[in-house]
Amino acid sequence: EDIKHIPWEPKEKEVKVSSDKEYKVLSSKGDKEYQVQMNASGSLECECPGYGFRRRCRHIDQVTSSL
């Protein structure tokens, strides 16, 4: 049986974020503000506790969806 070639497709659309830009996003309760910015490798990172555990958070999703 031949192996079928499946072309690679990115999971997410590419978002152009300026490396010197910082985004402030409110917490879900609205009592805190978290900073989202691009790190040295070009990925977005957040200072919220959720990002510290999962390396993903809704604050990053909110920034990418707003661009």
Side-chain angles (χ1 to χ4, degrees):
E1 181 177 326
D2 290 338
I3 297 175
K4 185 171 79 174
H5 174 71
I6 300 172
W8 179 84
E9 294 181 23
K11 290 183 179 180
E12 298 178 12
K13 63 179 183 173
E14 187 175 324
V15 178
K16 295 186 181 194
V17 178
S18 180
S19 60
D20 59 342
K21 217 168 192 186
E22 298 172 351
Y23 300 89
K24 305 251 185 224
V25 182
L26 280 177
S27 66
S28 56
K29 292 182 181 178
D31 60 342
K32 295 180 183 169
E33 198 173 61
Y34 295 114
Q35 183 175 315
V36 175
Q37 63 184 17
M38 188 177 288
N39 62 18
S41 69
S43 302
L44 289 176
E45 58 183 23
C46 182
E47 60 185 12
C48 75
Y51 180 80
F53 291 113
R54 295 181 293 277
R55 290 296 185 231
R56 189 86 179 143
C57 69
R58 68 170 202 86
H59 310 109
I60 291 174
D61 294 340
Q62 192 173 350
V63 169
T64 55
S65 68
S66 70
L67 297 176

